[in-house]
Amino acid sequence: AIEVQLPLTDRPVNLVEQGFDLQLRFGELPDSRLTARLLAHNKRVLCASPDYLLRAGKPKSPRDLIQHSCLFIRENEETYGSWHFHNGSRVETIKVRGPLASNDGECVLGWALDGHGILMRSLWEATPLLRSGKLQRVLSSWNLPPADIYAVFPSRTHLTVKTRVLVDFLIASFEPHRLSKDGAW
């Protein structure tokens, strides 16, 4: 008996000022005053179409990405064009470039499938395309920062019953994805 209104945005939302009961957020939490519950681990990977990799070559290190067309999903207030990598104790931040960017992930995914460049995508979403061969992993020995999925709400002590029920439902529904640390769905 919960009524849902679902505004979608990649801009920061002030839950209290804008009157939201709950926010689903990917990535780091910007405000420590809010209460957050981890719903799912969300590993990200780099991938590109076989056609693009045949034409441009497969990068062997993060620094090689400077010579590639990288496709961007502009989300939140992330630093545009900076991709962060780690491999054991090695850490690299690379300022990559590319001809195409959008705040719509489906659009950017379409560009990658059409052979326009390399994109960063959640493993759970890329897995079927990787299995089918429509996309190939790039730099698979390097890890990217995760974009874990959280339910965020203003205060645990003043949580309405409807919000508490929804949070409990989401936590139960996402449990297998929370237990899987590798982000595979």
Side-chain angles (χ1 to χ4, degrees):
I2 292 175
E3 188 176 297
V4 175
Q5 295 179 26
L6 181 65
L8 302 173
T9 181
D10 66 342
R11 301 280 180 236
V13 172
N14 185 311
L15 294 174
V16 176
E17 286 179 12
Q18 293 176 284
F20 288 106
D21 297 312
L22 177 74
Q23 174 187 44
L24 299 181
R25 181 165 179 93
F26 289 71
E28 293 182 27
L29 301 172
D31 189 339
S32 63
R33 295 172 294 169
L34 299 172
T35 302
R37 296 288 307 269
L38 176 67
L39 295 177
H41 293 287
N42 185 23
K43 181 177 181 177
R44 296 187 293 181
V45 296
L46 293 182
C47 43
S49 73
D51 289 342
Y52 174 81
L53 295 173
L54 187 63
R55 205 172 53 251
K58 200 167 187 176
K60 294 176 178 51
S61 75
R63 293 205 180 282
D64 292 346
L65 291 171
I66 295 168
Q67 305 303 318
H68 283 268
S69 294
C70 295
L71 307 172
F72 300 99
I73 302 170
R74 295 193 75 161
E75 298 175 311
N76 304 316
E77 299 300 315
E78 287 183 359
T79 305
Y80 179 70
S82 291
W83 287 356
H84 309 280
F85 298 87
H86 65 90
N87 182 346
S89 62
R90 294 173 58 196
V91 176
E92 291 194 35
T93 296
I94 306 298
K95 180 75 172 162
V96 294
R97 298 182 16 205
L100 301 167
S102 175
N103 67 343
D104 182 84
E106 290 300 313
C107 180
V108 178
L109 178 60
W111 291 333
L113 290 168
D114 289 341
H116 293 288
I118 297 171
L119 88 152
M120 183 186 308
R121 205 66 176 158
S122 294
L123 181 59
W124 60 267
E125 189 172 23
T127 295
L129 298 167
L130 295 167
R131 285 186 183 139
S132 72
K134 292 179 181 177
L135 291 177
Q136 294 179 0
R137 286 276 305 264
V138 175
L139 299 175
S140 58
S141 64
W142 288 86
N143 293 307
L144 297 158
D148 292 343
I149 305 168
Y150 293 89
V152 182
F153 37 94
S155 169
R156 191 174 291 207
T157 57
H158 297 95
L159 204 58
T160 64
V161 172
K162 66 182 179 181
T163 305
R164 182 175 292 118
V165 167
L166 182 56
V167 169
D168 290 345
F169 170 79
L170 291 170
I171 288 170
S173 298
F174 279 90
E175 183 175 16
H177 310 297
R178 197 170 42 262
L179 298 176
S180 171
K181 296 245 186 247
D182 68 356
W185 289 29

